[in-house]
Amino acid sequence: MEDVISRIPKILNSARDTAEKIQNASDIERFESEFFGKKSALSVLSKQLKELPADQKKEAGKAVGALRQQLTDLSLQKKKELAGAMQKQKWESEWIDVTKPAPANCGSLHPISRVQERVEEIFQSMGFAVADGNHIENEWYNFDALNIPASHPARDMQDTFWIQRKGDNPNKNFVLRTQTSDVQIHTMQEQGAPLRVIAPGRVFRNEDVDASHDAVFYQVEGLLVDEDISLAHLKGTIETMLGHLFETDTCIRFRPGYFPFVEPGLEVDFQCTLCRGKGCKTCKQTGWIEFMGAGMVHRNVLKNAGVDPEKFSGFAFGFGLTRLAMMKFGIDDIRLLSSQKIDFLSQF
Ligand code: DAH
């Protein structure tokens, strides 16, 4: 009996030492097989118990039973500690800061804004100011002052959204401006001559929408008024602007064109930058890209805006910023530009 009982403290100490080092589930398994397995000291003691004489069995049995209980408690305690530690680790790894801003995609400039910014920079470097205009415009600024009276057939060239607002004078008509040319009149009235200005902005036409037409698009208007201005100044200005925009020398050509607010009026083409005039899909095999309308400001327009046509002359031009952006970025459907599709917009 002495033999059995005297070994108990050593077994207990060794179990405590081993339990101390338990870190994970497999350490627990090892502990259990070491202290409760078939070859464990406990199992050896249990066997020896059976061989003891009956009068000693009781006391020694109690001692071995107490050892079994202590070892079991030790194992349970360790299991509990381990489960707690694992739960804590899980919570820590899953912790999120709910006050942090949600991850967001970085925005970028719209392709039209990008081209507009570049065009503005280039004209500003040539001394042009940048002016804003009104989207809702008095009929007089959009048409009459630009030498397009009500009876003029040129009014039919642009399908117009007419507007009648509550409280408007019924004799005065308003439109969603069909062209940025209205800014010519405002700036001449406000600043007089000499003057150099461009006016990028939205225009509106009552058109059927398809891949190349939208009811809302962007134009850039240009106006330069000074003494002794000629078409040569217009040519130099446009060549310089396109050269900077395309970062290569760009050839332009004038064709006669009709716009009531200029005389003579011109259509300006530039040589296709892709095929360099040889003919390709983009220029429809012509070697040229139609770019803008332009001309020498009509004396009626100067007069309407309060500028003396005897003293001053000027050139004006207008081109489609939307079309230019589509060409620059190879966008083949105008509707994409107003689609607000992230897949499309995030490319720029
Ligand atoms: N406003 C014209 C249009 O929308 C473009 C234009 C042509 C503007 C000739 C001009 C110009 O200033 O001189 O089609």
Side-chain angles (χ1 to χ4, degrees), residues 183-222:
V183 184
Q184 289 189 27
I185 309 298
H186 286 292
T187 47
M188 281 192 279
Q189 278 183 335
E190 282 158 24
Q191 298 169 33
L195 170 85
R196 290 177 200 197
V197 70
I198 60 159
R202 271 195 186 125
V203 298
F204 308 84
R205 304 245 177 120
N206 196 354
E207 297 217 31
D208 290 337
V209 173
D210 61 28
S212 41
H213 298 91
D214 204 345
V216 183
F217 54 97
Y218 287 77
Q219 289 187 331
V220 177
E221 191 75 12

Side-chain angles (χ1 to χ4, degrees), residues 10 31 74 96 110 134 157 162 178 207 210 225 292 299 306 318 327 347:
K10 214 172 146 202
F31 176 89
L74 211 53
I96 50 164
H110 192 277
N134 310 319
M157 284 162 71
W162 293 90
T178 57
E207 297 217 31
D210 61 28
V225 182
M292 65 181 195
R299 54 187 289 118
M327 252 165 35
Q347 297 174 80

Side-chain angles (χ1 to χ4, degrees), residues 158 179 181 184 205 219 221 259 261-262 293-295 316-318:
Q158 299 168 354
Q179 50 189 350
S181 306
Q184 289 189 27
R205 304 245 177 120
Q219 289 187 331
E221 191 75 12
F259 303 95
F261 30 92
V262 278
F317 57 85

